């Protein structure tokens, strides 16, 4: 226990902090996609099934930093162009019931790239309430440890 190593001036917070595993043993980097706005069919209400609505998507992807560095090597970085195209494909594939379900599908897409360690996806319906800038969800997932 930490108290045995340090003495009596150890708080419970110190013990928790000492016991917390280091989530990252290697350097990483983040790819950000901000405010992608798509017209899509999303929502549980009948009026949402009749007409598409504007949905804003933002994504943060945490990736392993390549051991050899990035330099000018395209193959060493995450391709956001392809990823955005795949998000568009989901939006165009048909009606999505929940913003949470849409966000989860985007998370699943992210983990198709084995370098992605964590993903944070925000999905907002922009026009559902006249007096609100947007309503939605923010989901954060981590690659399962094997």
């Amino acid at each position: 226990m930490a108290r045995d190593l340090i003495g009596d001036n150890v708080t419970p917070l110190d013990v928790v902090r000492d016991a917390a595993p280091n989530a990252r043993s290697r350097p990483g980097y983040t790819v950000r996609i901000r405010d992608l706005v798509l017209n899509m069919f999303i929502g549980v209400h009948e009026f949402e099934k009749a007409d598409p609505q504007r949905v804003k998507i933002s994504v943060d992807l945490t990736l392993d930093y390549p051991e050899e560095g990035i330099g000018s090597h395209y193959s060493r970085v995450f391709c956001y162009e392809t990823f955005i195209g795949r998000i568009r494909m989901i939006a165009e594939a048909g009606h999505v019931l929940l913003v949470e379900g849409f966000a989860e599908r985007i998370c699943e897409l992210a983990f198709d790239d084995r370098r992605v360690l964590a993903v944070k996806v925000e999905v907002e319906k922009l026009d559902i309430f006249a007096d609100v800038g947007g309503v939605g969800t923010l989901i954060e997932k981590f690659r399962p440890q094997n």
Side-chain angles (χ1 to χ4, degrees):
M1 178 174 208
R3 184 176 311 277
D4 297 334
L5 298 174
I6 300 172
D8 290 333
N9 284 340
V10 176
T11 67
L13 180 60
D14 293 324
V15 173
V16 170
R17 190 180 303 122
D18 291 344
N22 183 356
R24 180 184 309 227
S25 60
R26 296 181 48 192
Y29 73 104
T30 301
V31 171
R32 290 190 165 146
I33 299 165
R34 288 283 163 257
D35 302 338
L36 170 63
V37 178
L38 303 176
N39 285 316
M40 63 182 289
F41 289 93
I42 190 167
V44 297
H45 301 290
E46 288 305 314
F47 71 89
E48 293 176 304
K49 296 175 183 175
D51 293 307
Q53 57 185 302
R54 291 184 317 135
V55 175
K56 181 173 73 171
I57 301 114
S58 293
V59 182
D60 283 353
L61 302 129
T62 303
L63 295 103
D64 256 339
Y65 196 86
E67 287 182 26
E68 59 279 347
I70 294 171
S72 297
H73 300 280
Y74 175 76
S75 64
R76 294 182 187 166
V77 295
F78 184 86
C79 182
Y80 51 81
E81 180 179 11
T82 300
F83 188 68
I84 291 169
R86 293 180 72 196
I87 293 171
R88 287 184 174 126
M89 287 173 55
I90 294 172
E92 294 167 0
H95 187 89
V96 176
L97 201 57
L98 300 170
V99 292
E100 294 85 355
F102 186 49
E104 282 183 333
R105 290 174 72 184
I106 295 169
C107 289
E108 291 169 13
L109 284 179
F111 289 127
D112 284 349
D113 188 312
R114 60 181 171 72
R115 298 170 296 183
V116 174
L117 303 173
V119 60
K120 190 181 297 186
V121 177
E122 184 174 17
V123 175
E124 291 181 276
K125 296 192 287 187
L126 300 177
D127 301 318
I128 200 74
F129 296 108
D131 58 346
V132 177
V135 296
T137 192
L138 174 65
I139 293 179
E140 184 174 12
K141 289 193 167 199
F142 302 92
R143 178 173 296 283
Q145 299 297 319
N146 293 334

